[in-house]
Amino acid sequence: MAVWTYSTLVAWSVHSVRCEVIPLVLFRKMITLLLLGFFSLSQADNFDQVYSDLENYRTIYISENGPRLSVVTEQARVVSRRGGNITLPCSFQRDPSSAPNPKLRIKWTKLTSDFLKEIDVFVAMGFHKKSYGSFHGRVHLQGASENDASLVITEITLEDYGKYKCEVIDGLEDDTGVVSLDLQGVVFPYFPRLGRYNLNFHDADKACRDQDAIVASFDQLYDAWRGGLDWCNAGWLSDGSVQYPITKPREPCGGKNTVPGVRNYGMRDKENNRYDVFCFTSNDKGRFYYLTPSSKMTYDEAVLACQKDGAHIAKVGQMYAAWKLLGYDRCDAGWLADGSVRYPISRPRRRCSPTEAAVRFSGFPDKKHKLYGVYCFKRQN
């Protein structure tokens, strides 16, 4: 290796600047940088040799006493139905040597579909307890033991579906667990009297609520697809995506040579894009029925007939829930609240959905001139 002396470096530097006059301070800095650079180059081979086995070493962190607080959820998923009660399991363990903490805090929140926001559900600290929003008066801690943080939810609604986070805060220590609440229910595609592909996301949300339902989640649509739901029109889901389930691939629905699955259009503009919607509902406390004896009637007459029977004209979601969850079967076409005419078939037979169990759709007839029977729903007090 060449030996570089100070005089050699000075000569090289002077030559490199082509004898231009430079300040003395700047010249000295240049010399220092050059020396450091050449020293680094001369040591590169030695560095590789000395640390050739560096990749075999790892830093290991050892926790001497382990975590001082841990939260456990015995079940990752619990299932209930609308109107029922459910317990979301959660327990915690503290360091046995820790003194009792009267300010230990238990907090439950509901996670949104994109996990970017949490909705407060319930907080407890000692004797202080508070429930929030739509959960007010419907939630409390189970309190089976001093380490039990399980949450009891009563009078479950469709909106209660989702993931919940249990968080325990003990001074500077905290830990969390997540539990999913699923509901027994049914997913159904929906479009209004205006026709298909006429709903932006906000219209879709209202359309489902008007039919005693909510906009379905992807998980709910996926479960429905696994259960045989096949629908070739794209619809909104609760996360703002647009998708549709195909069990029998065919040319108009993504191609006949494609595999079955849930087709995904991705996230769409909630204001300006228009599609159908997939709704989710569950059976409610009450009685769904075809009004008998009754003659065929117009829509307005159907509304009054249910009211005279102490009920209301049934909604589309109520028909789907009775059909799917209760096995309701009736081969009579009847008015529903949205002005559509449908009938539910659980036992396929000739002239009544001969090939499959389904809610049959007869369209949106003229309300003033077309005559049909009516389906009513009498809510249980």
Side-chain angles (χ1 to χ4, degrees):
M1 180 179 71
V3 178
W4 293 78
T5 65
Y6 185 84
S7 59
T8 305
L9 290 170
V10 170
W12 180 84
S13 301
V14 171
H15 175 72
S16 66
V17 297
R18 299 181 180 179
C19 298
E20 294 178 2
V21 178
I22 59 176
L24 181 59
V25 174
L26 179 59
F27 178 77
R28 287 176 177 173
K29 288 183 178 179
M30 291 172 60
I31 296 301
T32 302
L33 291 171
L34 287 167
L35 285 170
L36 290 172
F38 286 118
F39 175 77
S40 298
L41 288 171
S42 67
Q43 296 298 317
D45 292 339
N46 292 337
F47 182 90
D48 290 340
Q49 181 178 356
V50 173
Y51 295 101
S52 62
D53 61 343
L54 182 64
E55 64 180 10
N56 296 324
Y57 289 85
R58 297 289 185 273
T59 303
I60 299 175
Y61 297 92
I62 299 176
S63 178
E64 183 175 350
N65 298 319
R68 300 174 64 86
L69 176 72
S70 63
V71 169
V72 177
T73 52
E74 293 82 1
Q75 295 173 257
R77 174 177 176 266
V78 294
V79 181
S80 188
R81 59 177 179 80
R82 178 163 57 170
N85 304 331
I86 195 66
T87 300
L88 305 182
C90 181
S91 61
F92 62 93
Q93 296 295 329
R94 302 178 70 236
D95 185 340
S97 63
S98 299
N101 180 9
K103 294 186 177 181
L104 183 141
R105 186 173 163 198
I106 299 171
K107 181 178 181 180
W108 280 91
T109 54
K110 188 173 187 287
L111 305 178
T112 55
S113 58
D114 56 8
F115 295 95
L116 296 179
K117 182 182 178 182
E118 296 182 9
I119 301 169
D120 289 336
V121 175
F122 183 82
V123 174
M125 186 173 69
F127 294 106
H128 302 285
K129 299 176 175 61
K130 185 176 182 179
S131 54
Y132 295 87
S134 63
F135 295 95
H136 183 68
R138 296 193 299 119
V139 291
H140 63 271
L141 293 182
Q142 178 175 251
S145 68
E146 62 180 8
N147 294 333
D148 183 16
S150 301
L151 184 73
V152 177
I153 306 178
T154 62
E155 294 297 321
I156 290 173
T157 68
L158 295 175
E159 290 79 6
D160 291 344
Y161 167 87
K163 297 181 183 297
Y164 292 77
K165 185 175 78 172
C166 171
E167 182 178 14
V168 179
I169 304 166
D170 185 9
L172 297 178
E173 302 289 331
D174 70 276
D175 197 16
T176 63
V178 175
V179 183
S180 294
L181 170 58
D182 286 353
L183 297 180
Q184 298 170 347
V186 55
V187 171
F188 62 94
Y190 187 79
F191 61 89
R193 176 180 288 273
L194 292 173
R196 292 181 171 171
Y197 288 11
N198 269 291
L199 302 170
N200 67 22
F201 180 81
H202 307 291
D203 295 333
D205 178 69
K206 182 179 185 303
C208 286
R209 293 183 183 278
D210 286 346
Q211 299 311 314
D212 193 46
I214 58 174
V215 180
S217 70
F218 169 77
D219 289 340
Q220 289 169 334
L221 181 65
Y222 180 77
D223 288 343
W225 168 74
R226 292 184 62 190
L229 179 62
D230 182 282
W231 194 254
C232 199
N233 291 84
W236 289 104
L237 295 180
S238 61
D239 62 358
S241 67
V242 174
Q243 308 190 40
Y244 62 100
I246 296 297
T247 58
K248 300 182 286 291
R250 50 203 182 276
E251 204 57 47
C253 308
K256 63 182 179 181
N257 295 323
T258 58
V259 298
V262 178
R263 309 281 193 257
N264 188 355
Y265 282 13
M267 308 300 288
R268 294 292 176 168
D269 186 320
K270 293 183 177 181
E271 295 287 345
N272 300 312
N273 289 155
R274 295 180 180 274
Y275 297 94
D276 293 346
V277 63
F278 289 99
C279 302
F280 174 84
T281 193
S282 179
N283 59 311
D284 201 1
K285 294 179 179 178
R287 175 177 168 239
F288 173 88
Y289 61 100
Y290 183 80
L291 183 61
T292 56
S294 64
S295 59
K296 304 300 182 183
M297 61 195 89
T298 65
Y299 176 81
D300 289 340
E301 291 170 341
V303 172
L304 290 174
C306 286
Q307 291 176 353
K308 288 179 180 179
D309 201 49
H312 298 282
I313 186 170
K315 299 180 178 182
V316 176
Q318 292 166 341
M319 175 176 280
Y320 269 96
W323 164 74
K324 184 69 173 181
L325 304 175
L326 302 177
Y328 194 92
D329 183 281
R330 183 91 190 190
C331 200
D332 293 289
W335 290 107
L336 292 177
D338 66 337
S340 66
V341 171
R342 309 176 194 243
Y343 59 99
I345 299 299
S346 296
R347 295 177 285 104
R349 55 201 182 273
R350 193 168 69 90
R351 297 183 182 179
C352 300
S353 187
T355 60
E356 61 179 351
V359 171
R360 309 308 296 182
F361 174 63
S362 300
F364 290 92
D366 185 305
K367 290 184 176 181
K368 293 183 178 180
H369 300 100
K370 296 297 182 178
L371 306 178
Y372 294 93
V374 62
Y375 286 93
C376 304
F377 186 83
K378 186 176 294 186
R379 192 170 300 279
Q380 176 182 335
N381 295 329

